[in-house]
Structure formats: structure tokens, C-alpha cells
Amino acid sequence: MDTADLLKQLCAVNAMTGFEHRACDSIKNFFEPYSDKSWIDCFFNVIGYRKGLSENPKKIMITAHYDQIGMIVTGFESNGFLRVSNLGGIDTKAVLASEVTVHGKEDLYGIIGAKPPHLLTEKETQKNVKLKELFIDTGLPDATLKEKVSVGDPVSIISPVVSMENGCIMGRSLDNRAGVAALIKILEQMKMIKHEHDIYVVATVQEESGLLGAITSSWDLTPDIAIVIDVCHGDMPEADKSQCFPLGKGVPVGIGPAFHRPETKVLLDVAKNERIPTQLCIEPGNPGTEAWAIQISRTGIPTLEVSIPLRYMHTGAELICIKDIEMAAALVAHYSARKAGETLNGENQ
Amino acid sequence: MINLIKELTNAYGPSGQEEVIRSLIQKRIASKVDEMYTDTLGNLIAVKKGPGKRIMLAAHMDEIGLIATFVDEKGFIRFSNSGGVSPFIAAGQRVIFRNGTIGMVCYEENLEDMKDLKMNRMYIDIGTKNREETERLVNPGDMSVFVGEALEQNNRYISKALDDRIGCAILIALIERMGSTENEIVFVFTVQEEVGLRGAGPAAYGIKPDLAIAVDVTNTGDTPDCKPLAIDLGKGPAIMVKDNRTISHPLVKDALVECAQQENIPYQMEVLNVGGNDAGAIHITAGGIPSGGVSIPCRYLHRPCEMVDKNDVENTIRLLEAFIKRP
């Protein structure tokens, strides 16, 4: 499947963190054609399984979270306004004047009201608007609004997915649908190549609100090795270069205590052999991704990470390069298709 | 109910020292459950057996308190907090130690601005004349809790430690009311919730329930000039959607809403971006246990004058009673 088309379809899915049960079936549909078996677990993680050829296969788990940041209704104001709180890391200044969907009894259109500059006090011009100051304007009469919406209903940001020059795509929720697109590309490639080990591709829930999906799925599947695919920061003016990666220049590979050193070396060797360019993504401690949870699941799981550079994270206008998704997928697919004789867990490396 | 609440809130039980409150609950429910035991950490686990789903209901026994850190020459006790105690709330309160010694919580007089009030500028006075006298009664490491006897007035219950003895009272009332059960109901009176949800996770690991509900108190938004929160005293139990720790499992949450609607029980939806309760720890235990919460709206949390509504308490019991009957 064309990666850009795939990504656009994935971005149309609404899976606010904690509310993925409304979207898990559509993710499963993407996995199904390339999996020997696919299923949804009791926390709504979506798993695509491909059986390996080996008689004693190891389990390789590859995760990418499919939840997205959003908001949640906390209360009502008169004249059709709603108060909200965050689902995941909402940037209040980035959501002002956004169009939103309130997922009540039915989907309602709304906008996040923004106080015009003329009405801001001097103090207000100097700081970001606070979460508790945000409100959604639905334009509905109060009685209708209360009938259709209740406290606890999720809200998603509306933003179009746009193809830009040079293979770039702009939209919302590319964090981490770009990773989910990579999962699907991996399944697609694994179907064409012989692989010795069992592959579990997992689209996980609630990364944005505490890594729940990583915690539950890694426990359930008990893999011998795990690879996390998530986004990292793309380069941009005014940002710290050491924390940002150029787009289209190579797959960022995680290096640091969260990541299994010997296996990371194997991954980098695979990249070299397959002529897939890489960059090193140095994480001195908690990388802020699922790797941090998976690594300490049960008795510990060797965990690796490959990233997709993304600009303007957690806004409605995230930007990625399609090539980065394809390179990440190719790298993980080749790594996972290693021969049976090659041990996992860094033994004999 | 008020007698049960009086008994429970009056029992001493800071985090890690839940023996008194635990034995009180033990005695009360021993003859009414099929099995009862205390686990390694001190969680009290009581089972009503049944062939169906295993449902865990958790309410924490522990309460916030002050722990003595140092006794000075004149016999004054310096302290630190155990759980969320505000120095502004503690100042001027009476506290009680395990041996019954009562202390007055005071602060240094040379404090120029109340904003500077921190625990390290405060002390407990038990009326002794010197270190020796104090150390005969209180030593570093000893813990004290607020004094504040329960009362019933204008259809409200008011007391210290309603967080979460009211949850314990609700579970006890449920045990006493329910007959035989299809589902297996595991009542867990947890330890050390106030110091970081320490007890509930290991308890859930041992029990391995199919799903779990934390029964705890939640804040309200109905007092003068308070922070906005769409929860009022007296408008029914709050079904937890989200707190700062957990997003409730959607199926557990939906089942609770359905029960409330079927039984005509008033309810509210709870969305908090602060705090967490035992559900947060249970949710991520042993690869994940689907969890949710039923919260009793409570004003003045972590103060000696916590206040809940009588009807909310009754309706919480009804809601849980309906929930545990679900196939």
C-alpha cells in the first residue's frame, strides 16, 4: 500500500488516549491482511501476529502507540460553552482557535474559543493561556448541549492531512500514526520474506497518558525482545539541535540505558548491510517512550527503539517525511527477519 | 450508619500502621464473609465466594498523619507529614498518637508572613516540660493523626478521616446487606494509599481479579469561590472517568453508568487532573486489571472536617450492590 495513502487513512481515525475502544477495530482491519492472526486484547491493544518458520522461535514484539492526545469535557458554562481538561500532553497555546469534534451522544462540531488580543490584559499577553481557561464553543442552546454531551466525553482536534513538497505530510496525530504506518509496512514486508521468529506487531493504547498499553501488552506477550517505534523531534529553527533530527536523513536509533546495547549494535549492523542510513538518538535516562515501561516488564525485556523525526509535536500541524517511515519499517523488518541461528538477547554477539 | 462511621473514623490508622483500624474491621465482618486474611503488606482481604467473575472492591484504611522526627530539649516535637497534609490546615489542630497522647500543632511565633509556613517551622506540643518527659510518651518515628470526632448534622456526615473510612463503611455495609452472590466479590481494605497507592497493587497481584473498583472520596466544586469542578455534594456517587493517574477502563465505567441508570440512582461523572486513587495502582498490576472508581463527593479533603452527604453514601452502596450483581 502507498505509505502516504496509508498514513492519511490512519490519521482519519480518532483514538483519544483512554478512548481507543472506539477505534481499535479500524486498526485491526489494517493488520488483518498481513497477519496470520490478529486480535484486540482487553485493554484494546491491537496485535498482529506472524508465525515464524523456526521450530523454536523467539518472540519479537514491535510496538507503536495508536492513541492520540485530545481533550475531555469537565463542565458546562451557559450559552453553549464547555470546559475541558487534557487527555495527554496538550499544548494550550497550540490549540487556541482549533476546530474540534466533541464526541458526545453524537459528534458535535466546536471551536476552542480564543480571547482576542484586544481584550487581553498586559499580564495575559506575557503568558500562555492555562488549561482551565480554555473553553469550547458549540453554539448550541444549553439544554440541547446537556442532552448530547456529558462530563467525561472526549474531544478531538480537527485538522486536515496535507501532502507537501518533497514527500512530506502535515496533519494531526502523526504522533504516532507514523509509527503505526511503519508497523503495517513491517507486516507487509514480513509477509514477503521468510522469517524464523514469531513477530507480534502491537498498536498500543494510552502511551500519552502513562504507557498503559506498553505495560499490559509486554506482560501478556512476554517477548524475548521488543522494538519500540515512536516519533522524535524533527529539526527546526530555534530548537536545541542536540534534541532534534533532520528529516529524511536516516533512522534515529535509541542509545542509552533504556536500550539493550548489544542488540542495538546488531540493529545498526543490519542497517549498514542493508544500506539504510541511521542517526544516533542519545537518551541519557527516561526516553519518554514505551521503551521505559517495556524494559522492566516481568523479569526485564531487552528493548530497542527506532524513531521517526517529526516537527511540531503535539500540535494540529505535525510534519513528517514519508521516507522516514519507510526506512524505519525496512530496518525493523530486516532486523526481525534475522536467522534462527543468531541468538537474541545479545548472547554470542 | 453514623455509629459505624464514628467507630471507623475514630480508629487510629496512619499509613503503615493500620493494625487498629484493621482489627476493628476484621471483628465487624468476620462472621459475614466466607474467607478473610491479611496479606504481607497488611491489606485486609475478605471474600464472598461465588462461581462468576472475581470483582475486587478496594477502599483504603489508612489516613493522613504527622510523623515525629525530633524531640528538642524542652520537649517540643518536630514532625514531617505522612500523606498530603497542608501546614496551613495542620496549624492549630489537635493530633493523637497511638498511645492516646494528644498533641497541639503550633508554629514558631517569629514567622513574619503566613506564606512562609512550612512543616519545618512547626512543632507539636504535648504539654511536657523537657525531652525526657516527652520521650516517655512520644519518640521520633511515632505517628499522629488528626482529632475530629464524627457527627451527623443536616443530612451530612462530618469527621476526620472520612477519606477513606467512608469507603470502608460502604464496603462493610455492602457485606452486611448482600446475600449469596453469583460473582466472587473480594473486599479489600488497603494500606498506604495516602503515601502513593502502595497497598492496592500487591493486593491485586495476589487476588488477580477480573476487574476492580476503587471506592474512595473525591473533591467537590460546590463551595464558595472554589476551583471549578462539576461535582456537588448530594448529587450522587461520582463515576470516575479520569484522574491524574488513570483513565478508567471504558467497559467498567460504562457498566457503572448503566447500573446507575437502571436502578435510578443519581450519579455524576468525575474528571480530575489532579490526584489518583487505588484504581491507578490496580490498573497496571500483573499485566493490567481493568479498573474504575466510584467516588463519594467530599468537601474539605485532608482536613479534620471532611464532609460527605448521607444520600450520596446510601446511593454509593446501592450502585455497588447493583454492579456486583451484573453477570
Side-chain angles (χ1 to χ4, degrees):
Chain A
M1 194 192 288
D2 177 69
T3 313
D5 286 346
L6 171 63
L7 189 60
K8 284 179 181 175
Q9 288 177 44
L10 286 168
C11 284
V13 172
N14 271 319
M16 285 69 68
T17 193
F19 294 81
E20 298 89 345
H21 55 295
R22 298 161 182 234
C24 52
D25 288 330
S26 56
I27 302 292
K28 182 169 170 273
N29 288 341
F30 284 104
F31 283 3
E32 222 152 37
Y34 312 111
S35 306
D36 291 329
K37 200 177 136 196
S38 58
W39 68 94
I40 296 164
D41 74 13
C42 88
F43 283 91
F44 310 104
N45 296 303
V46 184
I47 298 114
Y49 165 70
R50 287 198 54 79
K51 194 171 165 24
L53 296 169
S54 166
E55 277 175 22
N56 296 305
K58 301 271 186 181
K59 287 185 187 175
I60 301 177
M61 176 171 91
I62 307 163
T63 75
H65 70 90
Y66 76 100
D67 62 320
Q68 75 203 57
I69 56 169
M71 281 173 289
I72 182 165
V73 175
T74 56
F76 298 86
E77 297 271 348
S78 49
N79 297 323
F81 296 109
L82 294 169
R83 288 291 182 182
V84 288
S85 182
N86 64 308
L87 287 174
I90 283 285
D91 179 356
T92 52
K93 67 179 184 297
V95 296
L96 286 176
S98 291
E99 299 170 84
V100 296
T101 306
V102 180
H103 301 275
K105 284 206 180 92
E106 59 190 83
D107 284 357
L108 298 174
Y109 178 81
I111 51 167
I112 308 226
K115 209 164 148 187
H118 323 68
L119 299 181
L120 293 177
T121 63
E122 202 186 325
K123 225 176 168 182
E124 283 172 332
T125 59
Q126 286 161 5
K127 58 180 177 77
N128 282 343
V129 59
K130 291 194 181 113
L131 189 62
K132 63 178 184 191
E133 294 166 346
L134 291 182
F135 56 88
I136 293 174
D137 189 343
T138 62
L140 283 175
D142 292 342
T144 320
L145 189 59
K146 283 197 172 160
E147 194 184 295
K148 293 183 173 172
V149 178
S150 64
V151 170
D153 285 344
V155 175
S156 61
I157 309 278
I158 299 172
S159 178
V161 200
V162 180
S163 288
M164 296 173 65
E165 295 303 318
N166 207 16
C168 288
I169 298 259
M170 185 283 287
R172 59 117 228 228
S173 312
L174 289 171
D175 171 7
N176 184 28
R177 300 297 152 72
V180 178
L183 292 185
I184 296 161
K185 300 303 283 183
I186 291 164
L187 278 177
E188 197 182 56
Q189 290 177 44
M190 298 306 279
K191 197 172 176 174
M192 323 263 226
I193 46 183
K194 287 181 177 168
H195 56 93
E196 302 284 344
H197 299 300
D198 286 353
I199 311 293
Y200 295 83
V201 157
V202 188
T204 50
V205 299
Q206 293 195 40
E207 189 271 350
E208 301 287 3
S209 53
L211 311 179
L212 181 74
I215 294 169
T216 56
S217 63
S218 60
W219 175 287
D220 274 354
L221 299 172
T222 329
D224 296 293
I225 199 153
I227 306 151
V228 173
I229 306 178
D230 206 339
V231 293
C232 62
H233 295 290
D235 63 335
M236 67 189 92
E238 307 289 323
D240 177 0
K241 283 205 162 28
S242 71
Q243 292 186 50
C244 296
F245 298 85
L247 271 57
K249 293 278 155 56
V251 183
V253 172
I255 303 279
F259 312 114
H260 195 265
R261 286 259 172 190
E263 280 300 320
T264 299
K265 190 178 172 298
V266 175
L267 183 75
L268 290 169
D269 288 345
V270 169
K272 210 179 269 174
N273 284 340
E274 300 297 330
R275 296 176 199 283
I276 299 168
T278 54
Q279 316 182 52
L280 297 186
C281 182
I282 313 299
E283 295 287 0
N286 181 350
T289 63
E290 298 188 307
W292 200 239
I294 295 171
Q295 185 189 28
I296 56 161
S297 183
R298 290 196 186 243
T299 54
I301 294 166
T303 304
L304 311 181
E305 184 161 279
V306 302
S307 305
I308 297 159
L310 171 143
R311 290 180 185 150
Y312 325 124
M313 198 178 287
H314 286 201
T315 72
E318 295 176 331
L319 191 153
I320 56 105
C321 178
I322 285 294
K323 195 177 150 196
D324 284 321
I325 297 177
E326 290 170 343
M327 287 193 298
L331 174 55
V332 175
H334 283 292
Y335 169 82
S336 305
R338 62 200 343 221
K339 293 186 192 73
E342 287 172 333
T343 52
L344 296 171
N345 304 351
E347 294 149 15
N348 308 327
Q349 297 294 343
Chain B
M1 194 69 181
I2 182 64
N3 290 332
L4 175 61
I5 291 171
K6 269 188 184 166
E7 222 184 323
L8 291 173
T9 54
N10 204 31
Y12 174 88
S15 304
Q17 279 191 276
E18 294 89 354
E19 301 84 359
V20 177
I21 175 70
R22 182 173 58 238
S23 73
L24 196 145
I25 298 173
Q26 253 168 341
K27 276 184 202 126
R28 173 101 187 197
I29 61 173
S31 62
K32 294 152 192 148
V33 294
D34 300 318
E35 193 187 339
M36 188 167 71
Y37 58 96
T38 300
D39 73 5
T40 319
L41 287 183
N43 296 297
L44 175 63
I45 295 155
V47 189
K48 291 278 269 184
K49 294 214 164 159
K53 278 181 302 195
R54 185 176 295 161
I55 302 174
M56 168 172 170
L57 300 179
H60 67 90
M61 294 187 285
D62 64 316
E63 62 184 308
I64 53 169
L66 301 176
I67 181 163
T69 53
F70 178 78
V71 178
D72 74 13
E73 276 170 27
K74 291 185 170 167
F76 295 109
I77 302 158
R78 296 288 174 165
F79 62 89
S80 181
N81 61 304
S82 162
V85 181
S86 154
F88 302 100
I89 303 300
Q93 294 297 339
R94 290 180 191 200
V95 291
I96 184 166
F97 288 87
R98 174 133 191 205
N99 61 5
T101 304
I102 304 275
M104 320 309 143
V105 184
C106 306
Y107 53 88
E108 296 168 3
E109 280 214 349
N110 67 0
L111 195 75
E112 275 175 21
D113 190 336
M114 268 310 265
K115 274 187 187 159
D116 299 329
L117 184 64
K118 301 250 166 65
M119 293 281 174
N120 61 10
R121 307 290 300 271
M122 301 174 73
Y123 57 88
I124 296 171
D125 186 347
I126 58 168
T128 46
K129 293 186 203 69
N130 54 46
R131 179 180 282 154
E132 289 67 39
E133 269 189 42
T134 295
E135 284 182 348
R136 276 201 285 276
L137 294 163
V138 175
N139 283 285
D142 290 350
M143 295 170 99
S144 65
V145 298
F146 284 140
V147 172
E149 206 192 336
L151 60 98
E152 183 180 342
Q153 182 169 286
N154 296 322
N155 216 34
R156 319 280 205 198
Y157 299 122
I158 301 152
S159 176
K160 66 104 163 158
L162 281 175
D163 174 5
D164 184 28
R165 303 289 164 74
I166 195 66
C168 298
I170 285 167
L171 294 197
I172 292 169
L174 191 57
I175 290 171
E176 291 175 348
R177 266 190 219 181
M178 67 184 286
S180 61
T181 170
E182 266 304 301
N183 292 320
E184 177 148 305
I185 314 302
V186 185
F187 297 88
V188 185
F189 301 89
T190 61
V191 296
Q192 301 199 29
E193 193 269 355
E194 297 290 3
V195 288
L197 323 179
R198 307 288 297 162
Y205 191 96
I207 295 161
K208 299 220 165 43
D210 296 308
L211 54 105
I213 305 275
V215 182
D216 205 340
V217 292
T218 189
N219 227 331
T220 68
D222 63 349
T223 52
D225 233 5
C226 65
K227 289 179 189 154
L229 180 62
I231 295 175
D232 292 358
L233 218 57
K235 290 201 177 160
I239 296 171
M240 185 175 96
V241 181
K242 169 187 183 290
D243 62 21
N244 202 26
R245 185 81 185 218
T246 328
I247 299 173
S248 296
H249 194 281
L251 301 186
V252 175
K253 178 190 72 190
D254 291 349
L256 284 165
V257 170
E258 222 171 85
C259 285
Q261 287 172 346
Q262 275 166 6
E263 302 290 319
N264 269 324
I265 300 166
Y267 68 96
Q268 319 180 59
M269 301 307 283
E270 177 188 14
V271 180
L272 298 177
N273 54 8
V274 292
N277 62 32
D278 277 341
I282 301 165
H283 208 46
I284 56 167
T285 291
I289 294 164
S291 304
V294 174
S295 306
I296 304 100
C298 180
R299 287 181 187 160
Y300 320 120
L301 284 176
H302 287 202
R303 293 163 172 81
C305 56
E306 291 173 333
M307 183 189 288
V308 299
D309 182 89
K310 210 173 157 179
N311 295 336
D312 287 345
V313 172
E314 176 58 28
N315 283 325
T316 306
I317 302 171
R318 285 178 59 210
L319 176 58
L320 291 171
E321 207 174 4
F323 181 79
I324 59 177
K325 281 189 189 142
R326 274 174 69 94

